[in-house]
Amino acid sequence: MQSQEELFKILNQNKLALEQNRPQDYRTIVISISPQSRASLAAKYRLTPLQVHHRLVYFFKHFLGAHHVFDTSFTQDLSLVESAREFNERFKHYMQNGGEALEAAKQQQDLEKAVEDGKPKVRARRRKANATEEAVSAQQDLPMLASSCPGWVCYAEKTHGEILPFITAAKSPQQMMGSLVKDYFAKKSGLTPNQIYHVSIMPCYDKKLEASRPDFYLESFETREVDCVLTTSEIDKMFHEKNLDFTKMTESPIDDMFNKVGVDPATGIETVYGVPGSSSGGALEYIFATAARDIFNMPDINATQASSRVVIKTGKNADVKEYFLIADDGRILLRFATAYGFRNIQNVVRKIKTGKCNYHYVEVMACPGGCANGGGQLPAESEQVINAKDWVGHVESIYQTAQGVLPENNEIIKSIYNEWIVDPSSERARQLLRTQYHAVTQNLGNPLATKW
């Protein structure tokens, strides 16, 4: 049972263990806060994300009695690096195993379309792919699909098992923090994983499902990497139940190591850092830029802004966007897209199944609007003041006030990675940083409509 009652139970057990001198029953409580939850609270209480972070540190450490408060923006860096590494591996394998021919065919189609767009509209006969192209298409490693949305992963496992090989194996930021806390942090603290109780604060109820996956259960210690997930709205409910005014709450120092908060060298002012990109995690933007740099030798590509190198097109709705990396000669080198919301997900799945998906990477999210609009986020106080769509946009804009710092520029994460993982190609790295998916055969209607 992942709920605030469970957290209170652990806190009470700690109190009794101290009173009764039972140190073996005492557990170190770690809280991990998502930047999306921080932005949602900032929007409701008209605070900055930094003010929210300081007040949450006070609430969890000094009011409730937790020991550490971490920031999943920190492990978002780990997830991005691992996802980009996996994409590069997939893309290179794809190109070495027939992908070059497939890409040449796509380039020809792009050229023909450009010519046709400049002529009067005449229905053209569609050229049938030859046997070689069909064989190549059947063996492709792409598109790689994002995995950080558990609602989407659950849907894929229960209804589209043949899609699972396309989903990135890199763990989500939540589960990266689970690995970091229950392995690296535990060893540094002289603790076993089951001596730590790890709570994650997330924008989505489906993150509870993710934490409960058997793949994230450490059998030798009989504990999960993330013991309990609480949503933004559940935390806000705790404030009210404790008769606390969050706008007047004390701000405590952010003194734990796994945080992406620091002093801006330009201003000397403490600031919250994040990664460039949307509140859905910035995976598309980071993987796009990394592939451009590592595969096509194009450094300093910014996928958040259109340029001579980057073309961004919005689809029939704002939840579908296409991102293209353009070569000097006008060829399209990378094709990325977002697909937020169930209807758009279905369209992507249909195209993959029929071999008509031309994208190399798709950022898939179950919620329209992405993670800023997660089911566990705080709604607008009144629809009369601001409608739901504008409210989500407001939360998104607050999220993006965090200065974007690329993972490779995060010296702390680099140091920990080199000490903890050492060899990114090792089996140990695979166990700590990647996961797997399992097709489920049962009829559950729409798995995205899970009720909590």
Side-chain angles (χ1 to χ4, degrees):
M1 179 181 176
Q2 297 184 49
S3 65
Q4 61 200 61
E5 286 76 19
E6 183 182 335
L7 173 57
F8 290 143
K9 178 182 176 182
I10 297 297
L11 289 165
N12 189 52
Q13 288 175 349
N14 269 0
K15 183 179 179 181
L16 290 174
L18 285 176
E19 291 174 351
Q20 298 171 8
N21 194 26
R22 291 183 286 108
Q24 70 276 11
D25 296 329
Y26 191 82
R27 300 174 76 178
T28 296
I29 299 175
V30 172
I31 311 291
S32 298
I33 303 169
S34 71
Q36 296 87 351
S37 295
R38 194 171 56 195
S40 185
L41 288 164
K44 175 175 179 176
Y45 291 104
R46 300 182 181 182
L47 300 168
T48 66
L50 183 61
Q51 288 175 314
V52 169
H53 200 118
H54 279 290
R55 294 173 197 211
L56 288 175
V57 171
Y58 170 80
F59 175 69
F60 285 116
K61 291 180 71 172
H62 303 287
F63 186 82
L64 291 184
H67 302 88
H68 303 278
V69 178
F70 298 153
D71 174 6
T72 53
S73 295
F74 189 83
T75 45
Q76 190 173 354
D77 283 357
L78 278 174
S79 186
L80 291 175
V81 168
E82 193 62 21
S83 296
R85 178 178 287 112
E86 182 181 355
F87 177 81
N88 287 355
E89 291 169 356
R90 284 177 180 249
F91 190 88
K92 290 174 182 177
H93 187 266
Y94 160 71
M95 293 297 283
Q96 292 167 0
N97 291 271
E100 287 189 7
L102 200 58
E103 288 300 307
K106 291 177 184 178
Q107 299 294 350
Q108 183 62 31
Q109 290 173 4
D110 292 337
L111 181 60
E112 292 172 359
K113 185 177 184 301
V115 172
E116 287 297 320
D117 287 345
K119 295 180 179 180
K121 298 300 179 184
V122 178
R123 183 167 185 139
R125 291 181 62 188
R126 193 169 178 182
R127 183 173 65 90
K128 184 178 180 181
N130 60 39
T132 302
E133 289 176 343
E134 289 176 341
V136 170
S137 180
Q139 297 169 9
Q140 62 181 322
D141 300 86
L142 304 173
M144 188 170 91
L145 307 175
S147 66
S148 59
C149 173
W152 144 243
V153 171
C154 179
Y155 165 68
E157 288 185 318
K158 291 177 179 176
T159 61
H160 299 290
E162 62 271 47
I163 298 295
L164 299 182
F166 293 96
I167 301 177
T168 173
K171 286 184 178 181
S172 71
Q174 170 177 285
Q175 296 309 136
M176 284 289 189
M177 183 63 84
S179 290
L180 191 69
V181 165
K182 291 294 180 93
D183 190 85
Y184 179 84
F185 175 75
K187 290 173 181 175
K188 284 289 184 181
S189 303
L191 301 168
T192 58
N194 57 347
Q195 290 177 310
I196 299 173
Y197 187 77
H198 182 202
V199 182
S200 181
I201 312 303
M202 286 286 145
C204 174
Y205 283 95
D206 283 346
K207 282 292 180 180
K208 296 173 187 277
L209 295 176
E210 181 179 60
S212 299
R213 291 176 67 86
D215 304 278
F216 303 137
Y217 184 78
L218 306 175
E219 290 188 7
S220 56
F221 293 98
E222 297 183 337
T223 186
R224 294 195 295 259
E225 292 176 342
V226 178
D227 297 284
C228 178
V229 176
L230 298 177
T231 64
T232 316
S233 57
E234 287 175 307
I235 297 303
D236 193 51
K237 182 181 177 183
M238 291 169 70
F239 300 153
H240 294 292
E241 290 178 347
K242 298 293 183 181
N243 295 316
L244 296 172
D245 184 348
F246 194 64
T247 62
K248 298 178 181 178
M249 191 174 289
T250 302
E251 294 187 8
S252 292
I254 300 170
D255 56 0
D256 280 308
M257 62 188 299
F258 302 145
N259 278 287
K260 217 171 172 183
V261 176
V263 175
D264 185 344
T267 63
I269 299 174
E270 187 180 40
T271 187
V272 168
Y273 293 101
V275 293
S278 75
S279 64
S280 293
L284 181 147
E285 294 86 353
Y286 182 74
I287 295 170
F288 189 96
T290 303
R293 182 192 67 206
D294 295 348
I295 299 173
F296 297 106
N297 196 28
M298 292 184 182
D300 304 320
I301 291 294
N302 183 356
T304 64
Q305 297 178 349
S307 66
S308 60
R309 293 287 196 188
V310 180
V311 173
I312 303 175
K313 295 181 180 180
T314 302
K316 293 181 180 180
N317 58 71
D319 286 324
V320 176
K321 286 187 178 180
E322 297 178 311
Y323 298 75
F324 303 100
L325 181 67
I326 309 300
D328 289 334
D329 59 6
R331 289 179 300 118
I332 297 175
L333 302 176
L334 290 177
R335 295 174 171 86
F336 280 35
T338 61
Y340 299 167
F342 187 47
R343 181 178 298 178
N344 295 321
I345 289 175
Q346 287 178 314
N347 289 336
V348 169
V349 169
R350 190 180 303 115
K351 287 181 178 179
I352 293 174
K353 285 185 171 184
T354 57
K356 297 177 182 177
C357 185
N358 289 331
Y359 302 125
H360 299 122
Y361 176 86
V362 184
E363 185 173 86
V364 185
M365 296 287 157
C367 294
C371 293
N373 190 34
Q377 295 284 71
L378 302 173
E381 290 284 316
S382 172
E383 283 276 338
Q384 295 175 341
V385 178
I386 183 171
N387 64 46
K389 185 177 180 181
D390 290 341
W391 178 254
V392 173
H394 179 51
V395 175
E396 178 73 34
S397 65
I398 291 174
Y399 174 91
Q400 295 197 23
T401 59
Q403 290 188 40
V405 175
L406 296 173
E408 51 264 35
N409 295 329
N410 185 339
E411 294 301 324
I412 298 176
I413 205 83
K414 285 166 65 177
S415 175
I416 290 175
Y417 193 94
N418 291 334
E419 177 188 353
W420 181 41
I421 302 300
V422 184
D423 180 7
S425 63
S426 66
E427 176 62 20
R428 170 178 165 77
R430 190 196 66 77
Q431 291 177 352
L432 289 171
L433 305 180
R434 296 194 180 188
T435 185
Q436 57 189 331
Y437 309 102
H438 316 277
V440 178
T441 54
Q442 51 182 303
N443 183 17
L444 289 178
N446 177 9
L448 293 182
T450 302
K451 300 294 182 183
W452 294 95

